[in-house]
Amino acid sequence: MRISLSEALERTNQQDTPKNYIKQFMLKENEATFLRFLVDDINDINVCTAHKVRMTSKAGKQYSVMVDCIGKDCPLCKEAPNHVAEAYPQIPLVTKAKDIVTIPLINFNNGAPEYQILAWSVFIFKKINPMLSRIKPLSSTIEVQRTGKAVETNYFAYPADDKPELAGTVDELKKKFDVKDDDATGRFDSLIREWTASQMEEYLTTGTYPHSATATTAKPSEDVEAPVRRTNYGF
């Protein structure tokens, strides 16, 4: 997905988001950090198809959130072509669905380890994939750096020599930081929101978070195509 990794889910907007807040991994221009991915192999990385939708905080500031595409008859897919001209720096009401790589991780945050989720477009992720392919296991501590901004943003990943240590296997760290399998996708309050078609229609009408979160626990009906969930994108 060609998305802006600007501060879409910044802390100032938490009051307008579902209560179970999951922090998205982000770096500012020319910032670097040490981290550990909570996957051991690149084939364990998940990819889903998602839209971005525009929200407005109580303070009047616009930000965006990601919503899982439901595939056939998706209301967001139908609406997205009407907003292609709403280009950066404006946040479109809804974008076309794009493939998003999601990886749970521990960001060392200068000595304050924090559970976050990387959610990057395949386009961006491919820039660091050749570097990651040399790191085995993938859950080893690495350094990730961002350079540039907007369309000139680049990311680099390096094996970390002088690095902080965080003991534990992937499973042990997931338990320690209370990592759930559906934190990235699969719930109404996942990082990538799980909305039904009716909830999407509600958003398009109101421009705010839809209600009836419990509706997302139901399985898709037989006449609705389930969301596409790739577990291997050929990295």
Side-chain angles (χ1 to χ4, degrees):
M1 175 189 285
R2 295 173 183 169
I3 63 174
S4 169
L5 289 180
S6 60
E7 299 171 351
L9 296 177
E10 58 192 339
R11 292 181 184 272
T12 56
N13 294 323
Q14 290 184 43
Q15 59 183 340
D16 298 291
T17 60
K19 292 181 179 179
N20 189 15
Y21 179 76
I22 299 171
K23 187 169 182 180
Q24 182 176 350
F25 171 72
M26 293 182 178
L27 292 175
K28 297 179 181 178
E29 182 182 2
N30 298 322
E31 185 180 13
T33 190
F34 292 101
L35 59 81
R36 281 189 64 180
F37 289 128
L38 297 181
V39 293
D40 283 318
D41 188 88
I42 205 161
N43 291 318
D44 297 328
I45 293 175
N46 291 322
V47 181
C48 74
T49 304
H51 299 272
K52 289 183 71 179
V53 301
R54 182 177 67 216
M55 293 292 179
T56 304
S57 70
K58 291 179 180 178
K61 186 173 182 178
Q62 291 186 352
Y63 62 102
S64 59
V65 298
M66 289 175 283
V67 179
D68 210 348
C69 179
I70 62 173
K72 182 181 179 182
D73 297 326
C74 173
L76 299 183
C77 285
K78 294 178 180 178
E79 181 66 23
N82 298 326
H83 303 276
V84 293
E86 300 172 2
Y88 180 87
Q90 182 178 353
I91 298 177
L93 181 70
V94 57
T95 66
K96 292 182 178 180
K98 301 293 182 181
D99 291 332
I100 302 293
V101 175
T102 62
I103 313 176
L105 60 87
I106 304 299
N107 184 347
F108 283 81
N109 275 342
N110 296 318
E114 182 179 32
Y115 165 47
Q116 300 175 0
I117 295 178
L118 177 149
W120 286 356
S121 69
V122 170
F123 175 79
I124 293 175
F125 187 77
K126 279 187 173 181
K127 294 182 179 181
I128 68 167
N129 182 56
M131 309 171 204
L132 294 181
S133 64
R134 294 178 291 178
I135 298 173
K136 300 183 183 300
L138 192 57
S139 57
S140 304
T141 301
I142 62 173
E143 184 175 9
V144 176
Q145 179 184 24
R146 171 183 171 172
T147 62
K149 58 184 178 180
V151 296
E152 296 180 351
T153 297
N154 278 300
Y155 290 88
F156 302 91
Y158 311 97
D161 295 324
D162 184 15
K163 61 188 178 184
E165 293 294 340
L166 183 63
T169 65
V170 166
D171 288 340
E172 289 169 343
L173 290 175
K174 284 184 174 181
K175 183 176 181 179
K176 178 179 179 180
F177 287 89
D178 193 26
V179 177
K180 303 290 193 305
D181 290 340
D182 56 1
D183 282 345
T185 61
R187 301 194 311 260
F188 182 78
D189 60 353
S190 297
L191 180 65
I192 299 176
R193 318 295 189 204
E194 184 92 348
W195 292 355
T196 62
S198 61
Q199 289 169 329
M200 292 177 177
E201 293 283 8
E202 182 181 344
Y203 161 76
L204 293 173
T205 299
T206 66
T208 60
Y209 276 98
H211 299 86
S212 305
T214 54
T216 60
T217 62
K219 295 182 179 180
S221 60
E222 293 182 359
D223 60 340
V224 176
E225 182 178 313
V228 176
R229 299 195 182 281
R230 300 177 179 84
T231 57
N232 187 329
Y233 203 82
F235 295 129

